[in-house]
Amino acid sequence: MADPGAPAGRDGPLTWGQQDIWRAVAAAAPQERYLNIARVFAAPKRPVTVERAALALERLVARHESLRTRLTGPPDAPLQRVWPAACPPYEVVESGRAGSEPVGSGPVDSGAVGSGAVGSETVGSAAVGSLLAEEVGERLAAEPFAYWEEWPLRVAFVVAGGYVRHVVLVLCHLAADGHAAELVVKDFRLLLLRDSLPPLRSATPRELAAWQHSPEGRRVSGEAIGFWLEEYARMDPVPPSSHVPGEPRFVEATMRSPALAAAAQAVAARNRVSSSTVLLAGAMRLAGGLTGQRFCGMRVIVNNRFAAARRDVVSTISQEALVVLDLRTESFDALVRQAWGTALRAYRQAQYDPYAMEEAVTRVGPGIRSFGCFNDQRLVQEDGQVAALEGKTEVARTDAMDRNICDFRLHVGGEPGRMEISCYADTALLPPPGIEQYLLDLEGLIVEAACT
């Protein structure tokens, strides 16, 4: 519900990044929960009451217009409506109690925390509180957002001894991309300690959308589409899928590998590139092995915050770049160096109208398409800190769904020194054992390269 008595907000078009996410929502609905972005962080050491945390949330929402935004209009052509004020609800969950259900809740402007025993002296350990916060995050992220009725963030405060110990945020991907989510966490942390923050200097989502629909924006989009078409002309055809699709149609496997983290850093240091480039080169070499292509293309998520005016934008402005590599190189190191230069050029062409791009690339010849999507979600890469190639590798199936916009995607994340890579694939392209093997082959390829 909108705030009682609040005036209606202003309507405007979605940004290109939001349009990309809406296409993904439409393709996966009603299973688009995988797009939700969950973040959990510890409260400051200074005691923070629920009332203080609720006030910080109020100020956070006032600061970022994307957190006061809902969709309006028809589903096939939605607009975004920015409200002048919003009161997202929050939950209060007590550490030390069984389960992750809330003991209280309240709107931001009331300061109420419900009827739960928030002020009790039941204090779980820091580890227990952290695990509980993760459980709460999983629960809050388990359902898609109601894009027309719900504010684009869900919040919970995990309390012990009367004070907030952890904060849980789940953001709608229409309101924030991965980088924006980290900016929201940073601001929330600071607002738990301070009464205000310096004024924002970055563009708002409405300003970005207005620029994108201007003649200059259309020119930038047209240049990006022209670049993609030139790169499409270099690619070899992708053969049709040869496997019988399973049920569910899409399966995700996740690998946690200390050895891959260390190996990627070692190869990156040797070639003076990023570990992300090493992983991209490895992923594309294996993709070419599956398709038989020499010239293979893969889409790479780019956060599009290179300009100073966009560095701190809290919205969804990331889009895909197209990286095309010639996989016939004399060594893996040569492929890595090629990927570095090619990716840097491609990143400059990752701002475009997604519907115009889709129309343009679908007119290219049969079988000419990119192979999947690569998304390195690490904001900090420990390149240069090369660790030993040791530690246990774990692979497990972690998700499944019936519909998706992408037939293959890799997500890179994890903690420092313990890389986590998820591969989500159409079972018509790769059966579940093949998905797991792809991850192990990626580890083997890069570890071998690090040792030579």
Side-chain angles (χ1 to χ4, degrees):
M1 296 287 294
D3 298 344
R10 296 176 56 187
D11 297 350
L14 304 184
T15 66
W16 291 334
Q18 289 173 313
Q19 290 176 33
D20 266 331
I21 295 302
W22 186 244
R23 291 171 64 237
V25 167
Q31 298 178 328
E32 74 272 24
R33 65 187 181 281
Y34 79 96
L35 292 167
N36 295 342
I37 302 174
R39 294 290 185 268
V40 174
F41 63 93
K45 293 182 179 180
R46 190 185 84 176
V48 176
T49 64
V50 172
E51 290 79 8
R52 173 77 189 186
L55 183 60
L57 175 59
E58 178 184 11
R59 290 167 173 162
L60 180 76
V61 172
R63 179 174 175 81
H64 297 294
E65 73 170 35
S66 67
L67 304 182
R68 295 179 273 111
T69 301
R70 293 171 175 161
L71 293 188
T72 187
D76 58 345
L79 300 173
Q80 59 179 327
R81 174 170 293 178
V82 181
W83 294 81
C87 291
Y90 58 85
E91 294 184 1
V92 179
V93 181
E94 188 175 354
S95 181
R97 294 170 63 100
S100 63
E101 294 302 313
V103 298
S105 61
V108 171
D109 62 348
S110 72
V113 295
S115 59
V118 176
S120 73
E121 294 301 318
T122 303
V123 183
S125 68
V128 171
S130 178
L131 288 173
L132 176 59
E134 294 291 343
E135 291 177 8
V136 173
E138 291 176 5
R139 173 171 58 79
L140 293 181
E143 295 294 331
F145 278 80
Y147 307 103
W148 275 258
E149 296 84 24
E150 185 180 1
W151 297 120
L153 75 164
R154 297 168 182 160
V155 183
F157 303 129
V158 177
V159 302
Y163 296 106
V164 176
R165 308 299 179 177
H166 290 84
V167 177
V168 180
L169 289 176
V170 175
L171 292 155
C172 175
H173 209 338
L174 288 167
D177 52 25
H179 190 89
E182 299 304 323
L183 293 172
V184 169
V185 169
K186 173 187 169 186
D187 282 356
F188 208 162
R189 285 181 190 272
L190 291 172
L191 287 167
L192 290 171
L193 296 169
R194 307 176 186 174
D195 291 332
S196 63
L197 295 177
L200 288 172
R201 300 184 182 277
S202 56
T204 67
R206 279 183 296 179
E207 291 169 343
L208 285 173
W211 174 83
Q212 289 167 352
H213 286 78
S214 71
E216 173 67 10
R218 289 192 291 270
R219 181 191 64 79
V220 169
S221 177
E223 288 182 357
I225 292 171
F227 172 83
W228 277 54
L229 291 176
E230 290 176 359
E231 294 301 287
Y232 262 68
R234 297 176 56 215
M235 288 192 291
D236 296 321
V238 177
S241 301
S242 58
H243 300 284
V244 177
E247 294 183 4
R249 177 73 182 253
F250 297 86
V251 171
E252 179 190 64
T254 300
M255 177 176 69
R256 296 173 179 85
S257 172
L260 179 57
Q265 292 165 15
V267 177
R270 188 168 69 215
N271 290 282
R272 298 183 178 181
V273 301
S274 68
S275 60
S276 185
T277 301
V278 175
L279 294 167
L280 174 63
M284 293 186 68
R285 169 153 286 183
L286 293 180
L290 294 173
T291 63
Q293 294 171 286
R294 173 181 173 179
F295 292 92
C296 177
M298 186 170 280
R299 303 184 306 281
V300 180
I301 301 295
V302 181
N303 76 40
N304 282 330
R305 287 175 171 81
F306 307 116
R310 299 186 182 185
R311 195 162 297 145
D312 296 325
V313 170
V314 172
S315 184
T316 299
I317 65 172
S318 59
Q319 289 188 264
E320 295 173 340
L322 176 64
V323 175
V324 178
L325 298 182
D326 179 356
L327 301 178
R328 192 176 297 175
T329 58
E330 70 275 10
S331 66
F332 184 68
D333 278 18
L335 183 65
V336 166
R337 291 191 293 272
Q338 180 193 158
W340 174 257
T342 303
L344 288 179
R345 290 190 296 273
Y347 293 166
R348 301 188 186 102
Q349 305 294 341
Q351 297 183 74
Y352 48 83
D353 179 334
Y355 291 100
M357 178 67 80
E358 182 180 29
E359 180 181 358
V361 299
T362 53
R363 292 197 299 264
V364 181
I368 304 298
R369 62 182 182 86
S370 56
F371 185 94
C373 177
F374 178 91
N375 185 10
D376 190 339
Q377 298 177 308
R378 299 172 299 161
L379 292 183
V380 177
Q381 299 178 28
E382 292 188 307
D383 300 334
Q385 300 180 22
V386 181
L389 299 177
E390 57 187 22
K392 182 181 179 181
T393 297
E394 303 170 354
V395 181
R397 296 182 195 178
T398 45
D399 200 5
M401 60 193 303
D402 299 314
R403 304 176 62 196
N404 203 282
I405 195 171
C406 186
D407 61 1
F408 182 92
R409 70 174 187 268
L410 283 176
H411 282 183
V412 182
E415 302 172 356
R418 194 165 185 261
M419 186 172 288
E420 180 176 296
I421 298 189
S422 297
C423 178
Y424 221 132
D426 186 343
T427 53
L429 177 68
L430 273 179
I435 298 171
E436 297 171 11
Q437 190 59 51
Y438 180 94
L439 292 170
L440 292 170
D441 289 345
L442 180 62
E443 178 190 53
L445 171 65
I446 296 177
V447 168
E448 180 181 359
C451 296
T452 58

